Amino acid sequence: MDRKRAVNSTGERASAKLRKARIRHFLLTTGPNRLTRGWFYRRHHAEDLLVREEDIFVPGWPKAFDGIRIGHISDIHVGDLMLADRALGVVEQLRIAAPDMICNTGDLVDLHWPGVETVAEAIADIKAPLGNFFVLGNHDLLDSGDEVARIVSEAGTTVLQDEVALVRRGEDELRIGGIGWARTPAQCKQRIDRAIGDETVDLLLSHNPKALDHAAIKGIPLTLSGHTHGGQIARRNRPNANLAVIHGHIRNAGLYEHGDSRLFVTVGAGSLFPLRLNVPAEIAILTIRSQ
Ligand SMILES: [Fe+2]
């Protein structure tokens, strides 16, 4: 496949965004790393990963699925800041946590992705009993969203692109909606409506947390998102006072409410630039409680 001519899954030619992302990557990542003779990367690669355990009380969550543990992973960004070997270590932490379901809210890759197939296979191989789901993030689309979706799907994970999957346990059913990358609240609305029509779902996966407003209108009890990285730099003891606010992400780390709807935003396992201050990389193990 000629990646330069690839068209992403929104039908939009990706090359302009790809060029912009490469320039940003040089300015924020490879350039400073060269100037510091590799210190930035060495320090970044030595940082720990937090396994964050949270109980989330969700009005309207189906009683039959009370207490399920969701392994929420996002923004792995396989690339030069997250080499495949390191990503496999992150996935191992997820496997050890033994979640009932895995929800990956996108940005699996970033610019260069040697070894991503191995990472996708390792995630799928965890064999969470209630399934393993993935939605695309904006960085997945930079090169070829279709290619990322193919790799994830062939590994054995369900890729949700404006569609709904059903998880059955006995006679009970959990409805999971997933949308592709949507930059604005209006685009989120469009994709949510395309995915669920006049119905609703119990759980929505959206890379962008801006999906919450429309999720609340549609009566969706729980939305899981990533994308913000928690800004990667936050004020001490104030995780929500972070750089993501610059991009208009007010809901940028942790749990949020909108009416009866809940949103959890993970700060992600990988990074956009090789520095995290007061925002450690994480995977989240969420125990969902019916309320
Ligand atoms: Fe990301």
Side-chain angles (χ1 to χ4, degrees), residues 74-77 106-107 109-110 138-139 207 226-229 270-272:
S74 196
D75 299 272
I76 301 176
H77 282 240
D107 277 7
V109 301
D110 196 0
N138 52 319
H139 284 260
H207 187 62
H227 183 54
T228 66
H229 297 205
S271 295
L272 189 60

Side-chain angles (χ1 to χ4, degrees), residues 263-275:
L263 163 74
F264 183 82
V265 184
T266 175
V267 301
S271 295
L272 189 60
F273 53 90
L275 185 62

Side-chain angles (χ1 to χ4, degrees), residues 29 33 39 52 55 98 105-106 131 139 160 162 166 171 187 192 197 214 222 224 237 243 256 258 263 270 274 285-286:
T29 301
N33 188 54
W39 177 82
R52 174 176 179 177
D55 279 27
T105 48
H139 284 260
L160 295 173
D162 305 343
L166 302 181
E171 305 221 319
Q187 289 172 1
I192 292 169
H214 195 59
L222 177 62
L224 301 181
N237 300 323
L243 289 186
Y256 296 88
H258 189 320
L263 163 74
I285 307 299
L286 308 173

Side-chain angles (χ1 to χ4, degrees), residues 160-288:
L160 295 173
Q161 303 206 66
D162 305 343
E163 56 200 316
V164 174
L166 302 181
V167 171
R168 290 199 174 83
R169 193 152 70 173
E171 305 221 319
D172 299 302
E173 199 174 83
L174 187 75
R175 291 169 56 82
I176 303 170
I179 60 171
W181 166 245
R183 190 174 57 81
T184 64
Q187 289 172 1
C188 291
K189 173 185 183 306
Q190 210 172 38
R191 285 190 180 271
I192 292 169
D193 288 343
R194 190 183 304 157
I196 70 176
D198 294 332
E199 305 285 311
T200 190
V201 288
D202 304 300
L203 173 62
L204 176 71
L205 308 183
S206 165
H207 187 62
N208 194 340
K210 289 180 180 172
L212 177 64
D213 291 320
H214 195 59
I217 289 169
K218 297 296 281 185
I220 298 172
L222 177 62
T223 298
L224 301 181
S225 296
H227 183 54
T228 66
H229 297 205
Q232 289 193 207
I233 296 175
R235 293 182 64 175
R236 191 187 291 262
N237 300 323
R238 290 186 59 196
N240 302 108
N242 65 53
L243 289 186
V245 174
I246 295 169
H247 296 285
H249 287 288
I250 308 302
R251 300 168 182 131
N252 49 38
L255 186 64
Y256 296 88
E257 297 182 11
H258 189 320
D260 278 346
S261 285
R262 299 291 177 267
L263 163 74
F264 183 82
V265 184
T266 175
V267 301
S271 295
L272 189 60
F273 53 90
L275 185 62
R276 277 184 176 264
L277 207 60
N278 302 321
V279 191
E282 69 180 16
I283 53 175
I285 307 299
L286 308 173
T287 302
I288 314 300

Side-chain angles (χ1 to χ4, degrees), residues 14-142:
S15 55
K17 285 183 179 168
L18 183 58
R19 263 201 310 276
K20 224 169 115 184
R22 282 182 176 145
I23 292 168
R24 187 184 56 217
H25 190 66
F26 174 73
L27 292 175
L28 295 178
T29 301
T30 44
N33 188 54
R34 271 183 223 161
L35 283 175
T36 57
R37 299 186 178 183
W39 177 82
F40 256 119
Y41 277 22
R42 283 196 300 278
R43 184 182 171 282
H44 183 68
H45 290 155
E47 282 174 0
D48 285 337
L49 177 87
L50 181 72
V51 179
R52 174 176 179 177
E53 302 250 3
E54 297 267 352
D55 279 27
I56 301 185
F57 292 85
V58 182
W61 185 256
K63 297 268 187 257
F65 293 88
D66 180 37
I68 68 164
R69 294 170 70 249
I70 297 179
H72 181 195
I73 188 165
S74 196
D75 299 272
I76 301 176
H77 282 240
V78 170
D80 52 7
L81 287 180
M82 177 67 87
L83 302 175
D85 275 357
R86 182 172 160 81
L88 289 173
V90 171
V91 175
E92 178 62 9
Q93 295 294 307
L94 186 61
R95 190 189 64 75
I96 289 168
D100 298 308
M101 178 191 296
I102 294 172
C103 294
N104 183 340
T105 48
D107 277 7
L108 173 63
V109 301
D110 196 0
L111 294 175
H112 324 280
W113 14 298
V116 70
E117 291 88 351
T118 326
V119 177
E121 280 161 18
I123 296 172
D125 280 351
I126 295 175
K127 305 271 186 259
L130 295 180
N132 194 323
F133 302 92
F134 174 80
V135 290
L136 289 162
N138 52 319
H139 284 260
D140 297 318
L141 302 183
L142 282 175

